[in-house]
Amino acid sequence: MPRVIVDCAIYQDGRRTEGPADFSDALDQARAAGDSFLWIGLHEPTAKEFELVTSEFGLHPLAVEDALHAHQRPKLEVYDDSLFLVLKPVQYDEKAGTVTAGELMVFVGDSFVVTVRHGEANPLGAVRDRLEDAPEVLRHGPTAVMYAVADAVVDHYLDVADELHEDLDGLETDVFAPDSAAGHNTAGRIYAFKREVLEFRRATGPLAEPMARLAGAGVPFVHEGSRPFFRDVNDHLTRVNEHVEGLDRLLSDILAAHLAQMGVRQNDDMRKISAWAAMAAVPTLIAGIYGMNFDYMPELEQPWGYPAVVLLMVGAITLLYRMFKRRGWL
């Protein structure tokens, strides 16, 4: 267990206190004090490692299964002895242009909070430090931890959304630049960016319903005074979801505009090819006619016949060139 336990502490009256090293004894002490709770943080525990936590805290088997196997969508489950909240913190790698989502599970019950983290995205260290500097918040009990974790995850969503928007502005500039035709695989870049926005959306979209429930009434284990804080988190999440929808629409519009540009460029290329083919066809036609083996053809016996035919070819080509140039085909 020491390998997976990131931190374990008792909080009494909003302040961290020293407690027993064994978390079973620590939980008993927190419940006996009345105004205390135990917060234990775990990182990617195995089923065997999590078994003792499950039995001591009375966690529901279905929630335990979700916490162990991860790959869950954001949700809030209400059980008889606890609440189970699933969050998906995200990281954005600007160099690689990829969005990576981790998973964070929060169990809240009678005098305890258990957090289980999967992946590299980890807001919990900063959340614990910030809460320990704000005892007036921690006095609300385990609900304060759930709020602070959700608030940290959603606030980071706003940062990621801003970073994505900055990169989207750069992509948009590249697509509509005058020399954008020289770019490589522009449609592929747009589609890859759209996939990253979709990954981000999978983390933010489903979280709206759990936050709305926590901000309302009727959810057990939620301190009455914490509901306004959850409403604030829900407002921030609404902004994030609106931002993500805007990014998705912009990407669709940019992709459509790029495809339209490609169609226009292809039409221009086809006009140029057709114009050059027409100019090549005229001398080919004249030469083909005079290449036929007939005895009686105009100007065959005249000394000026060859220069006249060449001038006719040059004149026809010049006339066609000026006509196509005037119409913008060349």
Side-chain angles (χ1 to χ4, degrees), residues 260-273:
Q261 282 184 330
M262 294 295 295
V264 170
R265 293 192 187 104
Q266 289 175 353
N267 288 336
D268 289 340
D269 293 341
M270 288 302 299
R271 283 202 299 265
K272 291 178 181 179
I273 293 171

Side-chain angles (χ1 to χ4, degrees), residues 192-213:
F193 201 102
K194 197 174 181 67
R195 287 293 302 267
E196 300 308 319
V197 171
L198 177 61
E199 181 70 19
F200 188 32
R201 195 173 197 167
R202 287 181 182 143
T204 65
L207 188 57
E209 190 267 341
M211 287 299 104
R213 289 177 62 190

Side-chain angles (χ1 to χ4, degrees), residues 22-54:
D22 183 83
F23 63 81
S24 300
D25 296 335
L27 179 60
D28 293 337
Q29 178 178 320
R31 284 175 172 167
D35 59 348
S36 304
F37 69 91
L38 174 67
W39 180 3
I40 179 171
L42 306 175
H43 178 233
E44 297 183 355
T46 64
K48 185 177 181 180
E49 291 167 336
F50 203 54
E51 184 177 353
L52 181 58
V53 177
T54 302

Side-chain angles (χ1 to χ4, degrees), residues 174-175 177-184 262 265:
D174 292 342
V175 169
D179 58 345
S180 59
H184 298 288
M262 294 295 295
R265 293 192 187 104

Side-chain angles (χ1 to χ4, degrees), residues 62-84:
L62 293 178
V64 171
E65 182 181 356
D66 290 343
L68 290 174
H69 294 91
H71 303 295
Q72 303 296 315
R73 67 197 302 269
K75 63 180 180 178
L76 175 67
E77 299 287 352
V78 180
Y79 298 105
D80 293 337
D81 299 323
S82 63
L83 288 179
F84 177 59

Side-chain angles (χ1 to χ4, degrees), residues 228-243:
F229 296 97
F230 281 113
R231 283 198 293 270
D232 182 64
V233 175
N234 193 35
D235 289 342
H236 290 177
L237 182 62
T238 300
R239 287 173 51 198
V240 171
N241 285 325
E242 289 174 351
H243 206 154

